[in-house]
Every structure is written in structure tokens, then in C-alpha cells.
Amino acid sequence: MENIDIARIFDDIADVLELKDENPFRIRSYRRAARVIHDMPEDAKTLVAEGRITEVRGIGKGLAEKIEDIIKTGTTEFYEEIKQDAFFHLTELLNIPGIGPKLAVKLNREIGVETVDDLEEAAVKGKLNSLEGMGEKIEEKILKGIEQYRRSTGRFTIADAITYAEAIMKTLKAIKGVSRIDIAGSLRRMRETIGDVDILVISKSAGLIMDAFTSLDSVADVLAKGDTKSSVLLRSGIQVDLRILPQASYGSALHYFTGSKDHNVVMRDRGKRMGLKVSEYGVFDTKSEKRIAGKTEKEVFRAVGLPFISPELRENSGEFEAADRGTLPHLIELDDIRGDLQMHTKATDGANTVEEMARYAKGLGYEYIAITDHSKAVRVAGGLDDKELAAHIKAIRKANDKMDGIEILSGVEVDILKDGRLDISDEVLSECDVVLAAVHSGFTMPRDEMTERIKRGIGNPLVNILAHPTGRIINEREPYEIDIEEIIREAKTQHVALELNSYPNRLDLKDVHCRAAKDAGVKISTNTDSHADLQLRNMRYGIATARRGWLEPDDVINTYSLAGLKKFLAGRRR
Ligand code: DGT
Ligand code: CA
Ligand code: CA
Ligand code: ZN
């Protein structure tokens, strides 16, 4: 149960109540609950387990009880009732732009529409025009809405969003009269998934920019077009909002539209206590109504007595307290990274040779890499057995001898079998410079068993790093059930680093768990898990997540010099 799933339950309830035309206050309170849970920076599961759930703004005792119920049982009594309601089937229709609760009920009563597919069929067959009170071209509108809905369900990975955002920025930057352009919103905060992309611009030629923006090749649909704000839907299904802003308040707007909402609320309250009004238009003296700051973000922070807070930290998860105490972290940067410790080659399921990977890594300015192909249990990837790995290690050493300017460490991503044993012998593992261990099968094990399995796996003193510790694939596969706190404790005891797998649909460990690991004194290894040389560039997503996890260079072993790294690795093998 992720926060999104819990929020979904409250939203479903609100939908059904709305379809039934129930008390609007009741509907609104369910909607609000859904929003609060959806936007929470921390895992509801963790908050409940630690008894901190009522500390979240907007969660009182009543709501907290419902959330606990959902986490424990996956549902609530009322939700089960709601699911039996005849109207429950109609909630999907509400996702279609242009269909509200009244219309949904009408379509159901008069022509028996229950699902989006039914609706599509009715529209295609021209059954809607005959209904009373339907506007012109209703069928066309609804079909367009259905198409839009099907393309835009779910959030996008950060890599998808960045790819589109950067392309758009490049085009807009080239337009005359654009003096500044920035990404704001969740993408600037580098959240692991992105709802929509927010772009801010300073320019005197608004018309020109809006025309260019709404006629980009990648645009499928223009949702709104105005002088200061336009929104488009890209063919990929990603929505992009563009705002044109005046220079004098640009810093305030950039701060406001970067969010998060929770962070903004605290800024506003903080200002209020100082006799200031903080908004997207500037920081104003409440009495004189004079603007005292707004041109730059730094100015805005300074006006409320704060140093600049990095966007990745703006989740109201302790950044204000740390700023006041002067203990904000010196966040890790991509430039701090000296090597990459997980990648695959042609020996298993990679696309490139050892030499090719090394050459590309050298081009990125790295001092070292580790080649870590799969072991035999991962049959689909052509995993190596003892003998094959031993031969591969020899080949890696040979490549290392031949190549100047970068150290190629020999390694393996060894499988942790269901009983916690590793599927490569200690004899061969001890030939490796670095050993990553990981789970690749049996994902549905009960929590206790999975936790024990992994603890046993990393209990082997030859293991240095636990790879993709929770196994999730964003938008595809939930993490397996584990006691992550227990794993963090074990990693500390065993002197094992936890991986922050930087593959953009993994980002595993995720941000809050990176922070927990850091707090427990456990080191992180940011690796790309590349299966082709170009993927070595995915390190940026790992660094983004590391920053969201408050990590500093010293928390990440890939920032160490080769000697420092070797020392860390040797620490395990006494
Ligand atoms: P997303 O798009 O769901 O990934 O998340 P954001 O954070 O980009 O959210 P978005 O696009 O709805 O709005 C961008 C920022 O604008 C958001 O982070 C904070 C600010 N903002 C928008 N609406 C509100 C609001 O009602 N209250 C406050 N305080 N800030 C808001
Ligand atoms: Ca956004
Ligand atoms: Ca937006
Ligand atoms: Zn793996």
C-alpha cells in the first residue's frame, strides 16, 4: 500500500458520493484526505508504524484511524460498502474530460453506459446526439476526451519528463526576447515521478512564445492558451504548463511554482509571523504593502530569515528546522562521482564489451568502474556459473591491464537465492574486487522470510553492496515486502553499502530510505546498472534521488578515490 493507493481509496469514495449527489461537505472532506495523503513526502506505512501519522498537516485522529485500517487490511469497512454500490462502476467515467457526475449518471440511466469502453462504443455509434440536452459535436468531444484519458493515466518517470522538458526548453530558449527560462514544480524538486511539467519564462514577447509553445511538434492538444499561461498535452501524454512572468517577482514565482505545496504553506506562515505576506507575486510588508523581496529566490528566502534551500529538499520534511539550526546538508553533486559500480556486458545481458563500457566511463571522467554481470540463477539474462565467472574475471583483469586512465574492477551481481544462500561459491566470489548481491526471484515471499533471506545474503562477508534493495520497478512492480529498517541495521552491522540503483524506473533505494540509511550511518552506492554504454549517463537520476535523500558526498562510496573505495571494500573482508 503506497500513499497513492491509499489516496485512491478516498478519491473513489468521494466519486461515488458525488455520483449519488450526497452532502458536498462530506465529499469535500474525502477529497481533501486524498490530496493530503497523495502529497505526503513520507510513506504512510512508516508514519503509522512510528506513530507519527497525526503529525502530518491535515491528518486528524479520525483520518489517521482510517489510514491505519487501510494499511492493516488493505481497505476500510465503508470502502467495501461503497464498492458494492451500483454507482461504483461509473467512477471510471469521471476521469474523462467533459464528463461530470450528472452526465455520467444520465448516460448510465438512459443508454446503459457503465465503462469507458461502453461510452466509446456509444459515441462511435452516434447514440449520444439523440439524448436530450447534449451540445453540438458531443461525440467528437467525448472521443477526444477518452483518447486523452487513455494517454495520460498515471505519473511519468523523471527521465521521461526531463527528456521532453529539455527539448522544449531548448526550442523556447532560441526565441528572441526570452531572457530567462526555468523548470519549476516536481521536476525541479526531482521527484521520482512527475504529474505535469511546469516551465517559467521571463520575456517581453509573450505572443511569440505562446505561439511557439502551442505549435511545437510534440504537442497533441492545446488545453489552454493565454498571454501569461498556456498548457499543452504532448503526444506522449505529458502535460506541460508554461507561465510568463515579470522580472520583478520572478524569484517569488519560481519559488512558489517549485513547491512543494507543503513547503509553500510553511513559508507563508513563517512570513505571517514576521509581518510579511509571502506569495507568488513577492514578499510584502503587511502594513505598508510594500514589496520587500521577489526578484530572486535567494532574496525571498533571506526576507524570511533563511538561507537558500535546494529545491530537492523543499518537501517540508525538516528543511526549515535544519536551515534554522544551520545544519542544511551540503548535497552531493554529479561532479562528485568518480565511478560506477554496477554494469553488465555482453558476457550476460549487456549490449557492450568490457572495453566499450570502460571507454565510455572514461569519457565521463570516471576514475573507476566495476563490471558486475549476473550469476546463473538469472537464467533469462544468461547468468554466469562459477567457472564462467572465473573466466570472466580473468578477461576483465586483462582489459584493465590494457586500458590506461581508468581502473576496471572485476565484480558480480550475485543472486540471493530463496534460502538466502548466494549462487556463486565463496572461492570465486573472493576473486572479485567487489561483490553486489541482489534478489531477482521469489518476489512474493512473506515479509519476515524476505527480510531473513536478504539478511542471510548480505551476511556473507564477501558481499559489499546490496543491489536494488527493494526490487521495485516504478509504474510496473511494487517493492517486495521487507523490513527496510531491519535491513538498514543489518547493513550497518555488516559494513555493507546499500545501492541507490540509478536506473530511472528503479531509483531503489528511494529518497526517504536513503535518508534513513544515512541517519543510521550506512553508506550508499549510486550505480547505473547499465546494460549499454549510453545508460551510464543515468547517474544523474541517482544523484537527484540522493539529493532528495539529503546525502552528502561522504555518504556515497562512489565519490571516494580509488584508494578510498578499496579501503571501504577491504573493511568488509577482514
Ligand atoms: P506534480 O505536477 O503532481 O508532479 O507536482 P507539482 O509539485 O509540480 O505540482 P503542480 O504542478 O500542481 O504545481 C506546481 C507547484 O505550484 C506546486 O509544487 C506548488 C505550487 N502550487 C500549486 N497549487 C498550489 C496551491 O494550491 N497552494 C500552494 N501553496 N502552492 C501551490
Ligand atoms: Ca507539476
Ligand atoms: Ca502544473
Ligand atoms: Zn539486478
Side-chain angles (χ1 to χ4, degrees):
M1 271 283 160
E2 291 298 321
N3 293 358
I4 307 174
D5 306 319
I6 302 170
R8 174 70 187 274
I9 289 178
F10 288 100
D11 255 329
D12 281 351
I13 294 175
D15 281 347
V16 172
L17 296 178
E18 200 160 10
L19 287 162
K20 295 173 78 168
D21 204 13
E22 286 238 8
N23 182 339
F25 289 105
R26 193 154 180 232
I27 296 168
R28 218 172 303 144
S29 83
Y30 276 106
R31 287 265 184 252
R32 210 178 302 124
R35 174 108 220 171
V36 168
I37 297 159
H38 180 275
D39 291 345
M40 252 169 15
E42 278 190 84
D43 233 355
K45 258 182 300 195
T46 318
L47 289 171
V48 165
E50 295 174 9
R52 294 192 289 123
I53 188 84
T54 49
E55 283 171 32
V56 177
R57 197 182 307 275
I59 298 187
K61 222 176 130 225
L63 181 53
E65 274 167 22
K66 286 183 188 139
I67 295 172
E68 273 180 62
D69 223 347
I70 293 171
I71 288 171
K72 246 186 247 140
T73 66
T75 184
T76 70
E77 218 173 292
F78 186 45
Y79 186 54
E80 288 306 301
E81 259 175 63
I82 284 280
K83 282 206 287 196
Q84 299 307 314
D85 198 297
F87 282 99
F88 186 73
H89 297 288
L90 304 184
T91 53
E92 195 196 356
L93 295 176
L94 300 177
N95 295 319
I96 311 296
I99 301 218
K102 292 227 166 61
L103 183 54
V105 172
K106 184 183 167 85
L107 290 168
N108 178 248
R109 290 233 168 95
E110 302 194 19
I111 53 171
V113 168
E114 282 210 41
T115 62
V116 173
D117 290 348
D118 292 349
L119 180 64
E120 183 172 37
E121 196 186 322
V124 169
K125 287 188 177 159
K127 282 188 185 168
L128 303 179
N129 274 335
S130 57
L131 296 178
E132 214 201 309
M134 290 291 174
E136 280 255 84
K137 293 192 179 168
I138 180 73
E139 271 130 6
E140 207 177 296
K141 271 186 213 151
I142 284 187
L143 286 173
K144 204 170 162 191
I146 291 174
E147 199 192 320
Q148 183 176 327
Y149 163 65
R150 292 212 172 115
R151 262 180 295 146
S152 68
T153 41
R155 296 172 64 83
F156 296 86
T157 63
I158 186 172
D160 286 346
I162 280 189
T163 306
Y164 291 101
E166 284 179 348
I168 292 173
M169 303 263 290
K170 200 172 155 208
T171 308
L172 296 182
K173 244 183 223 162
I175 296 173
K176 239 180 93 183
V178 172
S179 55
R180 204 171 152 172
I181 180 162
D182 288 279
I183 287 175
S186 53
L187 188 51
R188 183 160 180 244
R189 304 198 312 282
M190 293 288 190
R191 271 192 66 174
E192 61 190 37
T193 62
I194 306 298
D196 67 11
V197 173
D198 303 278
I199 298 178
L200 308 183
V201 171
I202 302 180
S203 170
K204 292 204 177 77
S205 37
L208 223 59
I209 290 163
M210 290 311 190
D211 286 344
F213 176 60
T214 52
S215 58
L216 287 166
D217 282 345
S218 52
V219 168
D221 207 352
V222 177
L223 306 174
K225 187 178 176 190
D227 294 337
T228 56
K229 188 192 167 187
S230 296
S231 294
V232 299
L233 191 69
L234 303 182
R235 270 199 284 266
S236 55
I238 299 180
Q239 183 181 324
V240 184
D241 297 343
L242 180 96
R243 290 180 174 83
I244 299 182
L245 298 151
Q247 180 142 26
S249 59
Y250 191 72
S252 282
L254 182 56
H255 177 268
Y256 179 87
F257 290 111
T258 295
S260 66
K261 280 182 192 107
D262 286 347
H263 170 94
N264 288 353
V265 168
V266 177
M267 279 290 279
R268 211 182 312 133
D269 289 349
R270 195 179 164 101
K272 215 179 272 172
R273 269 181 274 125
M274 299 169 71
L276 301 170
K277 184 165 183 279
V278 178
S279 78
E280 64 198 274
Y281 307 108
V283 180
F284 300 87
D285 185 290
T286 318
K287 274 204 201 102
S288 68
E289 290 184 358
K290 242 184 74 187
R291 176 153 61 200
I292 63 157
K295 209 165 167 215
T296 65
E297 275 191 324
K298 214 169 163 190
E299 207 179 274
V300 171
F301 280 119
R302 200 186 315 125
V304 294
L306 289 169
F308 181 83
I309 298 175
S310 292
E312 295 92 338
L313 302 182
R314 300 183 197 168
E315 300 289 352
N316 188 24
S317 54
E319 71 271 26
F320 291 103
E321 293 80 355
D324 282 331
R325 281 197 307 263
T327 57
L328 280 172
H330 299 282
L331 296 178
I332 184 170
E333 290 173 17
L334 188 54
D335 269 355
D336 295 321
I337 294 297
R338 302 204 203 192
D340 191 333
L341 301 177
Q342 183 179 179
M343 66 194 67
H344 302 264
T345 68
K346 279 186 167 164
T348 58
D349 57 347
N352 293 98
T353 62
V354 173
E355 288 82 0
E356 286 164 349
M357 295 304 279
R359 217 171 296 130
Y360 198 92
K362 197 174 146 186
L364 294 176
Y366 288 164
E367 292 169 28
Y368 51 82
I369 55 169
I371 302 292
T372 57
D373 277 296
H374 292 285
S375 62
K376 62 180 180 287
V378 190
R379 245 184 245 120
V380 286
L384 309 175
D385 64 19
D386 268 29
K387 225 173 112 198
E388 290 162 334
L389 179 58
H392 192 37
I393 291 169
K394 280 208 186 98
I396 295 168
R397 286 193 187 140
K398 210 181 244 168
N400 188 37
D401 288 342
K402 271 200 297 193
M403 178 127 11
D404 287 332
I406 188 162
E407 179 79 4
I408 312 170
L409 302 171
S410 54
V412 63
E413 183 187 12
V414 62
D415 212 75
I416 303 176
L417 299 169
K418 290 196 178 112
D419 60 4
R421 281 180 307 128
L422 305 179
D423 78 334
I424 294 286
S425 70
D426 285 359
E427 193 192 333
V428 178
L429 287 181
S430 59
E431 288 296 309
C432 293
D433 298 313
V434 52
V435 173
L436 278 68
V439 165
H440 291 108
S441 64
F443 297 125
T444 55
M445 262 184 180
R447 180 178 154 106
D448 290 353
E449 276 175 48
M450 187 59 104
T451 306
E452 274 314 304
R453 171 185 182 181
I454 294 174
K455 278 172 72 175
R456 242 195 107 185
I458 64 175
N460 182 319
L462 294 166
V463 173
N464 305 112
I465 300 170
L466 174 62
H468 44 74
T470 75
R472 70 152 176 190
I473 310 277
I474 294 171
N475 287 345
E476 248 172 74
R477 189 172 74 206
E478 292 294 309
Y480 35 73
E481 296 284 336
I482 44 163
D483 183 345
I484 190 72
E485 311 272 318
E486 180 69 17
I487 298 296
I488 289 172
R489 271 193 298 275
E490 188 69 8
K492 173 73 187 160
T493 311
Q494 297 287 352
H495 191 73
V496 163
L498 297 178
E499 185 180 60
L500 195 184
N501 191 293
S502 306
Y503 210 84
N505 67 357
R506 280 195 184 266
L507 300 178
D508 181 9
L509 289 178
K510 68 176 179 178
D511 48 13
V512 290
H513 292 155
C514 286
R515 195 169 166 192
K518 175 200 172 115
D519 289 345
V522 172
K523 298 297 177 195
I524 297 288
S525 178
T526 55
N527 307 325
T528 58
D529 196 356
S530 291
H531 287 67
D533 55 6
L534 273 175
Q535 292 173 358
L536 290 165
R537 293 194 171 273
N538 284 334
M539 186 63 82
R540 64 185 297 199
Y541 304 113
I543 297 306
T545 299
R547 290 170 64 87
R548 289 182 58 83
W550 292 53
L551 300 190
E552 301 178 285
D554 192 46
D555 300 318
V556 175
I557 61 174
N558 322 45
T559 66
Y560 299 174
S561 66
L562 180 61
L565 176 72
K566 283 188 169 164
K567 200 170 147 208
F568 174 87
L569 297 172
R572 178 79 216 260
R573 298 189 181 197
R574 269 166 304 186

